[in-house]
Amino acid sequence: MFAKANEDVGQNISHQNLYIGPVFIVLATVVGKLFESINLPETNIAIVYLLAVVAISIFTQSYIISILYSFGATLSFNFFFTEPYNAFAIGNVSYVITFTIMVTVSLIITMMTQRIKTSVSVANRRAEENRKLYIMTNRVAGAASIEEIIDISIQSIGELTETNILCAYTSDMLHEKCRIAQYTFDDKLRVISLPDSEKVSLKQIDDYMLELTNIRSWKIFADGIVSAVIYMPHEQALMLEESKRRALMVAIENLSLAMGRVYSAFKQGRLQQENERERYRSSLLRAISHDLRTPLTGIMGTSEMIMGMTQPDDMRYELAAEIIEDAEWLHSLMENILNLTRLEDSHHYLKKQPEAIEEIIAVVVERFEKRAKGRELVVNIPNELVIVPVDAKLIVQVLINLLDNALKHTTLNQEISLTVDKLDNAVRFIVADRGTGINEEDMPYIFQMYYTSGKQSSDAKKGMGLGLAICKSVVEAHGGKISAANRDGGGAEFSFTLPMEDTNND
Amino acid sequence: MTNYKETILIVEDDFQIRNFISYSLRNEGYICKIVSTGSRAINTIANETVDLVILDLGLPDIDGIDVIRMLREWSEIPVIVVSARDQDREKAYALDLGADDYLTKPFSSTELLARIRVAVRHMKRRESVKKQSVIQVGGLSVDFEKRIVTLDGNEIHLTPMEYSLMSLLIKNRGKVVTTASVIKELWGPGYGQDTQALRTLMAGLRRKIEANPAKPRYIMTEIGVGYRMVEE
């Protein structure tokens, strides 16, 4: 009967505890009989029973059992030591008082001992929880991979909350691969690996899990996104005591911090790698640039020297002038190739700064006039100051390339114009001419690298080839668009836009 | 003074480049000295008569940048850098350290000679007039005592910041003043590299002194590096 009561309260009591009650009452009765035989007063016997009640409540875990035994002790006192003897009856009225006091005292004692025991056990449990949290924090801090962190954390959380836990998480640094770890109270830790071939995202797993209504979930943020989700059966989650719930929250926070640490360490490593690659790349480019510039300087300078030594009607003068012209062409080709190579890694190379459009245009106009002596450029720019985040040097090169192209397809008296408009969120540049225009069959290919008009022979060196390709690369690296069209009334028009807002900067 | 021709030291390790530079300089009547290392350059400048230095940055012994730094500790001699390094950063660095001009290879001898003339004029001006109270460039004139700026005889009103920018550029006319040093001079150190404020200020100033900002007459932009006030 007592055993049943125990089960109902939900406490597990060993069998030993069941026998302690009767043993103490029998013992008290024996001692009482002994006192009676040497004629000690009954009050002493009552005290002995009280002692037995205290002993019982120390060894017993449950209120109800202790209370029942305190009644038992009183009844036993009544049965054996008060008149009428060996019967449950009250002969003397004064015994009513004795019994009442005895029952009350034993009840109070029982309750007090039980309360002390309860707080001791709560304190012990808290200490144990804190110890587990501490161990988890320590182990997780030493873990080097996401898998390790999750395995440790899931096990710790399962042990702490004494529940079954499932955790879905992204195991790689790019959040592409998903894994699942499971902790059940009997099975301990088990890792379920999803096959690599089946690409399942964390979101898909979460959507699936959320359809199961009897599941409670906690999302774990690390690296700026949800990188793990912890699931627990709903009824177990509801049963969690306050302290366990608190411990769970602390554990989740630790988990998120630890994952964040691993991600940022990885990112730092990758950044360093990229920086190294970038350094290598730029020193290579610098070396190439240097090695090409030096001989070009020599060629051009020496040819100038020959021109200075000869008369313009001398054949050698003409030859030297041609050498200079070729060297200049080679120089512009080299600049284009270098910039194109740099732009391949555009967001590293672009040095965007707020620049005034009028300054860029002024530089372009100055260079145009130097290159095309006697040619006029019609310039139209907004009166107001327009500032755009660009790599000014590259935009200058785009405009120069477009103007060079226009020069090539016009004769001396055909107009070339450069127009800048401010649109809503962008600036539009238009380079237009009244020259030969673009062949319709060339139109789809003109921004391709090394494409020159089909009419020219393939070794006609002065074809643009690279020039328009680099225009496209530069404009697109800035987040803009470039296009080409033929104009009504003859001539070609190249236009490109540059966004006013700095969009693709990290 | 009339027949005096400046002595120019060419510091360059490439034989061909050295050859054509010295040829065109001698053609113009300058006296040329040639060395191919940084340490010999410093020695020559310290011990012999040299009026101007043409300095390559990629020297076999000391980096040209360090040559400028060492030189500037004790000498104000004009230095024109000719370098195969095309990065704006290097350009601005050399100018901030005290180089007077920077030419990226390849360049034509005409261009080099023009830069040399500017630097020589600059040097002479520095020697003859210690402190000028009025500086004139074309139709533009700045009176530093009265703080008055006139354009073609008409007074123009500048804000205090515009006036500071104007004085900085006109005092350094003919020379590139780097964006970083303008910002440092006008806004103080610690303002960083925020070019937006400078671009806006410059646009305001240009609207007061330039007839056409797309074809400036006075203040030229050296894209990615800085600004240069013309000399006349």
Side-chain angles (χ1 to χ4, degrees), chain A residues 118-128:
Chain A
T118 312
S119 24
V120 167
S121 83
V122 165
N124 280 341
R125 230 178 26 242
R126 291 242 168 107
E128 179 62 18

Side-chain angles (χ1 to χ4, degrees), chain A residues 94 96 107 116 133 135 139 272 309 373 417 454 480 483 502:
Chain A
S94 73
V96 176
L107 280 179
I116 290 167
L133 270 178
I135 290 174
R139 288 181 60 201
Q272 208 170 350
M309 289 168 171
K373 292 211 166 66
S417 70
S483 61
D502 208 347

Side-chain angles (χ1 to χ4, degrees), chain B residues 5-18:
Chain B
K5 268 302 181 183
E6 287 74 20
T7 306
I8 296 176
L9 177 68
I10 302 168
V11 189
E12 165 69 74
D13 60 332
D14 186 278
F15 168 78
Q16 217 179 357
I17 296 177
R18 225 157 51 191

Side-chain angles (χ1 to χ4, degrees), chain A residues 381-441:
Chain A
I381 64 169
N383 267 330
E384 56 171 325
L385 169 67
V386 183
I387 290 187
V388 193
V390 292
D391 187 322
K393 231 180 156 178
L394 290 176
I395 298 302
V396 167
Q397 175 148 27
V398 168
L399 290 168
I400 291 289
N401 281 355
L402 292 178
L403 288 171
D404 270 350
N405 192 45
L407 276 174
K408 213 164 298 155
H409 295 100
T410 48
T411 53
L412 218 76
N413 50 5
Q414 283 171 328
E415 185 189 284
I416 299 175
S417 70
L418 170 57
T419 310
V420 182
D421 297 321
K422 194 182 161 192
L423 311 178
D424 281 345
N425 298 310
V427 180
R428 186 176 55 195
F429 296 75
I430 303 167
V431 173
D433 65 55
R434 286 288 176 203
T436 50
I438 307 159
N439 278 331
E440 284 306 323
E441 70 232 48

